[in-house]
Amino acid sequence: MTAELVRGQNHLLPHSRLEIRVTAGAPVLACATLGDDRGTVLGVEWIAHPGSPTLPGIEVSRQAAAGLRFHVDLEAVPDRAHLVHVLLALPEGVGGPARFGTTAAPFAAVTATDGTEIASFTITGLEAESAVIALELYRRQGAWKVRAVGQGYAGGLAELFGDQGVPGAREFAAGIQEAVARHMASAIQAPRTGTPDGVRVRADGSAAATRPAQPGQSAAGAGASSGAGVPPGPGATPHQLPGTPGQQPGGPADGQGQQPAAASHTTAGGRVNYTHPRRQTAPPTPPPASVPAQPGQAPRPVAGDATGWSMEERLYNQVWGMFEDLARATAAYRSAVDFAESRMDQELDRVLSDPRSRIGGTGDAAREVARAKRDRLTDQAREALDRDLGQLAAESAVVEPALPPAYARWDNPVWHAYRVPMDNPMALRLGDLYLPERTDLRIPMLVRLPLERGLWIDSGRSGSEAALMLDEGQLRRLAMDNAVGYAARLLAAYPPGEFTVHVIDAAGSAAMSLAPLVGAGVLNQPPATGAGGVSAVLAKLTQRVDLVQMAIRGGAADSLPPGLDTAEQLLIVNDFPHGFDDRAVTQLRYLADEGPAVGVHLMMVADREDASAYGPVLDPLWRSLLRITPVADDHLADPWVGHAWTFEPLTMPPGSQILRQVLEQVSEARRAWRR
């Protein structure tokens, strides 16, 4: 599987003989440098360029072109060389583009000699830069790895070579540019045109969906992750975000192991293109076009600006695109800051390693220069991040009011116009996700329906600041209120007769929270209490799972007993394991494992510490459920780019009667359906 890298991410290289294939929106020239363990290029003889295209283990293209290849034999690289930098630059003085910001983002793919793609990197975010370090191959503990760098230089090759310590960098770069310019007439390959927006062109001419270097699954990395994400609080199991549109769910919410792709790409001027590249095959209903912008301004976003068969699907895809854009932009910013810090440390080490520079003001001057360069790079990265996040905030302001009830917050006016639907929903909103770089930019956390994982609303004090500020009773009440809210949203999202809710409240402690469901009459039976009630509900649902499984496996789905409720089933369990014996625990685990495939879903409101007596026996149960919290908590891991997303649950506006009004409509529709 190809590892699609973001800035700063690395990947192990399984082969020593490689090709690096580059495609760009305009002719570029290729260079490669060998560096020592400090990243310093010891002389021009360590540089491969079109005029001198070979070094031991490295060969670059002899001409500037829109499609280039680097040939690499890592076993032939000299032992003194610890780094190989892959460089791209725009030719000067030939009438072509003067900066990468006016061309399509370059794309680099590391492949085996048979063409199998190992890793790729789309170099987004370039603007005034005319030269860039695309990739870095480096030795680490006897093995070679590739790192996505994407560091651009507005001063072109001269500034880049100077940064790497090349003597006479400006004159040497000018000589390369002059030689390339003389041969441009015969060297340039016509840029490929006519490809759909959001489609990248490989070096072999084939097209593939663009996934530039970006909230959830063995994902969050598009094929390769640099980490497993951030672990949750004490006593919790790490959870990943649900899958991307067009895949089976598994990412900010249902964690099925998909890997989200970046949902946008950078166009001229660094603006975000909101077209979602995951859905390139346009369905019969086209998405709305963006509102034309004034000259010099970015297009104004519109709701539904993604492809899909319906407005609901287009909005779902657009929300996921926004999530991926936020992940991508933040990953680029964080890696740029890390790169700036690392570069400053390297420069200081290089200067201060010479004892003579420690005397007098030389060392102080070097520190000031290094810090100034660090600050400049960091400020540039923050400026780019603020621009991208501003555009996402503008899109969010347009999308949020247009969401259907299943996707909307409780304070959205769409609930005041709620009508019982006639079609099954596509997804459900559990809450919001955000990152610390901009906490007011909230992305809806949508999970696909029917649920493929159960939900665990953690009522324990797991370590988040918000949880620690509440006492145990408040936290348990808030967790159960959230469970009732999710149940109400599910009942409101499904047509009458298509969704049934069961409740186990063994101690009867959730009577106040359950009052809206009980009072509206949307439960088929009262909440089960005591050990007998627990046993009866579990036996009924276990029997339903067994019957449906046997009917499906036997190809006799039409032979189910006539009284069997074929609607989707949701079981809410409060205060587990109170009222559960060993048999009940086994049945609950069975429902969690086998139930989702046949329409039986589990929602547990529990503190894991309460079940600690069972030890590791219940570990598979907790792992099978998606953990969410009744208060804001940054426990959702995004292993694709390494983010820890803060999840904030949906809350009812103070004094609002919308829950009661919606449940009354649901109850009335259910009564009419039964007649």
Side-chain angles (χ1 to χ4, degrees), residues 341-376:
E341 293 285 349
S342 175
R343 177 54 58 89
M344 181 185 71
D345 292 341
Q346 290 178 12
E347 291 177 351
L348 291 177
D349 289 344
R350 191 181 308 156
V351 172
L352 299 179
S353 62
D354 184 354
R356 293 171 297 179
S357 65
R358 303 174 196 162
I359 302 174
T362 305
D364 293 338
R367 290 186 186 92
E368 291 302 319
V369 171
R371 288 167 181 159
K373 184 180 293 185
R374 184 271 315 272
D375 293 342
R376 176 172 58 83

Side-chain angles (χ1 to χ4, degrees), residues 531-594:
V534 171
S535 177
V537 172
L538 292 177
K540 178 180 178 180
L541 291 177
T542 301
Q543 183 185 45
R544 183 191 183 281
V545 171
D546 290 340
L547 289 172
V548 175
Q549 281 186 339
M550 287 189 292
I552 293 174
R553 291 169 182 168
D558 56 349
S559 62
L560 289 168
L564 186 73
D565 184 1
T566 58
E568 296 285 319
Q569 310 284 311
L570 175 68
L571 172 60
I572 301 175
V573 178
N574 182 45
D575 275 352
F576 175 82
H578 186 87
F580 281 71
D581 56 18
D582 290 345
R583 175 180 173 80
V585 169
T586 301
Q587 290 176 317
L588 190 70
R589 288 184 55 186
Y590 176 73
L591 292 178
D593 292 338
E594 303 294 334

Side-chain angles (χ1 to χ4, degrees), residues 38 105 110 114 204 214 332 373 452 489 553 561 610 636:
R38 297 179 180 272
V110 181
D114 62 358
D204 60 2
Q214 134 174 144
K373 184 180 293 185
E452 294 200 4
R489 294 174 75 86
R553 291 169 182 168
D610 292 344
L636 284 175

